[in-house]
Amino acid sequence: MVVIRFADAEGKRRALEALVGGFSFKSWSSGEMLVPEDALPQLAREDIPFTFEGSAAYEKLATLRDLAPAEV
């Protein structure tokens, strides 16, 4: 799994549409997504620009999590 980032909300929306149903992923409001490496060629074929942030090391994922509890 790798972390990628999108420059804008439109790019992220297009990526979500391209990946749903075919790949598992996690998305954060910061614009970053955790995707399998196999998903990167799919995004390239769809001409969706993204920035490769790196591998999904625990330390990286810990900084992305929102630790604040959600109100119910």
Side-chain angles (χ1 to χ4, degrees):
M1 299 289 276
V2 296
V3 178
I4 59 175
R5 177 185 296 272
F6 299 93
D8 56 21
E10 175 63 20
K12 186 175 179 182
R13 183 193 61 76
R14 289 181 54 216
L16 290 169
E17 289 175 356
L19 298 178
V20 72
F23 298 95
S24 62
F25 57 87
K26 172 73 177 153
S27 175
W28 290 277
S29 60
S30 64
E32 294 176 313
M33 285 180 64
L34 176 68
V35 299
E37 289 185 50
D38 296 347
L40 300 181
Q42 174 68 25
L43 295 175
R45 280 192 295 276
E46 298 286 333
D47 197 29
I48 301 171
F50 62 88
T51 303
F52 179 80
E53 295 287 318
S55 66
Y58 174 80
E59 294 81 16
K60 174 68 176 173
L61 295 179
T63 63
L64 294 176
R65 286 187 4 192
D66 181 12
L67 299 176
E71 288 189 36
V72 180

